[in-house]
Amino acid sequence: MAKAKQTITVTQTGSPIGRHKSQRATLVGLGLNKMHRTVEVEDTPSIRGMIRKVQHLVQVKEA
């Protein structure tokens, strides 16, 4: 049987205006590009690292 994948919900709460290009690219990589957009992503170490990089621009909810 396949194990159910853990997911987390990420909502963009801050604007990328005036931020470094790498932070903007990280938001796009997470699937976020506008304020108050919400995406559900797989909970992996790489995603956690991306979230940590832009933690001041996003809100995370454990699923």
Side-chain angles (χ1 to χ4, degrees):
M1 282 198 231
K3 196 176 185 183
K5 295 186 179 187
Q6 294 287 83
T7 61
I8 53 178
T9 304
V10 183
T11 304
Q12 184 176 344
T13 58
S15 173
I17 295 173
R19 305 291 179 182
H20 292 281
K21 286 183 182 181
S22 62
Q23 290 179 354
R24 288 183 186 193
T26 301
L27 286 173
V28 171
L30 286 169
L32 301 169
N33 62 352
K34 292 187 179 180
M35 294 284 293
H36 308 294
R37 284 263 169 104
T38 301
V39 294
E40 193 169 296
V41 293
E42 189 177 338
D43 190 7
T44 63
S46 61
I47 295 293
R48 288 286 182 168
M50 292 170 76
I51 291 170
R52 197 171 303 117
K53 185 172 184 175
V54 292
Q55 63 186 354
H56 56 288
L57 300 175
V58 298
Q59 180 180 28
V60 179
K61 290 185 182 176
E62 302 289 329

